[in-house]
Amino acid sequence: MSLNSFKRALWLYHINAGSCNGCDIEILATLTPRYDVERFGIVLVGSPRHADVLAVTGPVPRQMVSRLKRVYEQIPDPKVVLQVGSCGMEGGVFHESYNLVGPVDQIIPVDVYVPGCPPRPEAIIEGVVKAWVKLEKAAEQRIT
Amino acid sequence: MVSIVVGPVILAIMGAFFGLLYLGIDRKLVAHMQGRIGPPIIQPFRDVGKLLMKESIIPDGALSWLFKLAPILCLMGSAVLLLYIPIFGQKALLEDFGDAIVVLYLLIIPSLALVVAGFSSSSPYATVGAQREMVIMMSYEFPLAMTIVAIAWRIGHVAETNPFMFSTVATYPIWSLVGPMGVAGTLILLIVLLLVTTGELSRIPFDLAEAETELAGGLLVEYSGRNLVLFYIADAIKTFAMASLIIALFFPYSLSPVVGIEALVPAFVVDALFFLLKILLVMFICVMLIRAAMARFKIDQVSKIYFIAMTLISLVGLILIWVDLVM
Ligand code: SF4
């Protein structure tokens, strides 16, 4: 089996962990004709079972912790986590809010961070490309 | 004997290849219609390759033997279709053993396998998806049967052999049998069959069973890795088979006698290319154009459209053909 299988086919599942919706709209913007990530084979899927990449937005409030973990576990291996937005890294505009459990990397392992509040679609696409490289490595390790 | 064993395998592989190719063309063209660049045409093959590398998860609550059986059933059900429908302008492999009625029954199997898959994965999303699939299946069955029967009924007036046989349909193309009124009727039936195909393949606007946005993938929500690949390929084969069915019923013409090529191999190549072109045209109308132009219907609208509107429209087509016959 070729190791380049992931090279041009990547399915992405997006979970909103208490974000303000800013980042989510930027993720959707990457699908629009201006950026059109589908031309690289990147597709947004509706089920974590189909996904290769988990894109997490938001600072993770208390209610989301168990859900986030479950969604992460539902994704079949090999998988990577792409964390989009500043607030999932250290709280951002929600810094030290009473109901936050995040940042995201305290709950699930994060592979790629995309900073910005919200990040530009170009930045998100670059993050996905970085995730791709990691995914190839993960696939390689799984085979050998 | 050998052809009975090897033939189905070759047919299934060819069906999968061309089906995936057409899915790629579909994605590319729809992207162009929406002002995007779109993925390369070989994208579905890459998706398949990628899915093969992924882990296949079987959920704890699922009925695991049924969960694993359903994709195989779906794939086999779709592949068997190709044994009975003439493709590439040639006779179908098992043409003497089955006719359009058999195809009508066989068309249900992949959908049923999807329903089984949905119910066995014990996810609420999948259950809702399976119920929707059943409703859609029951709705389009009637206009589909009506169209096929109407064509065969008209052909039965001139042909001595069984009018449901694809060879009979090919010997007496429907368009050359009927007058102006009948042509209008046949055209109406063709449109009905094209729209039924959209539902049969669960494409937008009839893709309620898989509805990414509301049901998170619907029937297939729990499937991953190898099991998902089987459904993906089955869908491709079914797309190819449905388009071939329309061609077999309405456009059973081949190009080689027209351009005067008689040698065996060149005639085959010409016919096969012509057939692929016809498939592209059929898919362009019933999959791509509609998909690019429309949003998803609600489930009650779908059954109303198929049960009432489509049935009435195909009835009108049938009456037109009948009037054309008696006048
Ligand atoms: S990073 Fe900013 S824009 Fe993105 S979800 Fe957080 S607060 Fe909203």
Side-chain angles (χ1 to χ4, degrees), chain B residues 186-203:
Chain B
T186 316
L187 211 56
I188 289 175
L189 290 178
L190 174 60
I191 291 170
V192 169
L193 194 58
L194 284 173
L195 291 178
V196 166
T197 305
T198 317
E200 172 84 47
L201 301 173
S202 39
R203 294 293 150 77

Side-chain angles (χ1 to χ4, degrees), chain A residues 18-24 26 57-59 84-88 91-94 116-119:
Chain A
S19 93
C20 76
N21 245 324
C23 287
D24 312 41
E26 296 302 318
T57 56
V84 179
S86 305
C87 66
V93 288
F94 307 110
C117 183

Side-chain angles (χ1 to χ4, degrees), chain A residues 1-2 5-6 8-9 11 31 33 36 38-39 41 43-47 49-52 74 76-78 139 142-143, chain B residues 27 34-40 43 46-47 49-55 57 59 212 216 220-224 228 232:
Chain A
M1 221 177 286
S2 138
S5 291
F6 281 100
R8 279 181 166 266
W11 292 1
L31 299 178
D36 185 29
E38 203 191 346
R39 73 196 140 117
V43 181
L44 216 54
V45 291
S47 159
R49 296 267 193 233
H50 305 173
D52 308 307
Q74 280 177 349
D77 283 327
R142 198 164 162 254
I143 281 175
Chain B
R27 278 171 74 173
Q34 293 172 336
R36 296 186 286 120
I37 296 172
Q43 187 62 41
R46 289 175 171 164
D47 286 348
K50 182 213 69 174
L51 281 172
L52 282 175
M53 297 194 58
K54 299 282 286 184
E55 181 190 6
I57 298 180
E212 295 267 286
L220 304 180
V221 69
E222 294 290 348
Y223 277 91
S224 57
L228 189 60
Y232 200 89

Side-chain angles (χ1 to χ4, degrees), chain B residues 225-240:
Chain B
R226 271 188 304 281
N227 292 326
L228 189 60
V229 159
L230 293 183
F231 279 121
Y232 200 89
I233 295 176
D235 177 59
I237 296 182
K238 200 176 161 191
T239 311
F240 190 66

